[in-house]
Amino acid sequence: QIETRIQNATTIAGNDRLYLLLARAYRKMGQPRKAEAVLQELIDFYPDSEFAPEAFIELTKVLDELGQRRDAVRLASQAVPRYPNNPLVLRTNAELLALTGKVRAAAESLISADLAGADDPRVLLDAGRYFRDAGDLQSAQNAFERLNATYPSTSEAFEGAIDLAGVFRDQGRPRK
């Protein structure tokens, strides 16, 4: 029914959302190529749609599932300057960067997601761990301290406190 509505539409109102729903349906039905085509149409025909950021995110996932990680990373990186204040776009970019071993860039994208309003302690925990893995202990410390200050009663803050102690150890100084 969604396909028919899109094909017979005389107005664009609401079609952008239908494209996204159709693509998600194709993906869940195991038809990633169709999902890819629909998402690309949404991005091409409705670039200013409120659903365009979600389409970018969904398309990066489809491309990655199709074994096209390089294209997925490229697309996620292209979405960041278009939607620099969208926490989900920034998180998706970080996830793909981490999968390709670019942990410092992933950490920076997660910090941007936090600043854009991600409102999720996991973002800061992962950022701190990625900074640590990249050897940037000062940035790791900053991320863990922000995590503990912003989300003090979460399990992520507990994990972050343990990781912060490890950072202090690696810096050769006792915890303050």
Side-chain angles (χ1 to χ4, degrees), residues 4-36:
T4 305
R5 173 149 183 225
I6 289 173
Q7 291 170 353
N8 296 328
T10 57
T11 177
I12 62 169
N15 278 355
D16 51 353
R17 184 169 189 274
L18 290 177
Y19 269 86
L20 185 60
L21 292 173
L22 179 60
R24 286 181 175 159
Y26 279 141
R27 187 170 169 225
K28 285 184 180 181
M29 293 186 317
Q31 299 179 38
R33 291 283 178 207
K34 284 187 176 183
E36 177 186 11

Side-chain angles (χ1 to χ4, degrees), residues 156-176:
E156 290 86 357
F158 179 73
E159 290 180 53
I162 294 169
D163 288 342
L164 180 59
V167 167
F168 285 138
R169 179 201 63 229
D170 293 345
Q171 289 173 330
R173 61 189 180 105
R175 183 170 185 205
K176 296 179 183 178

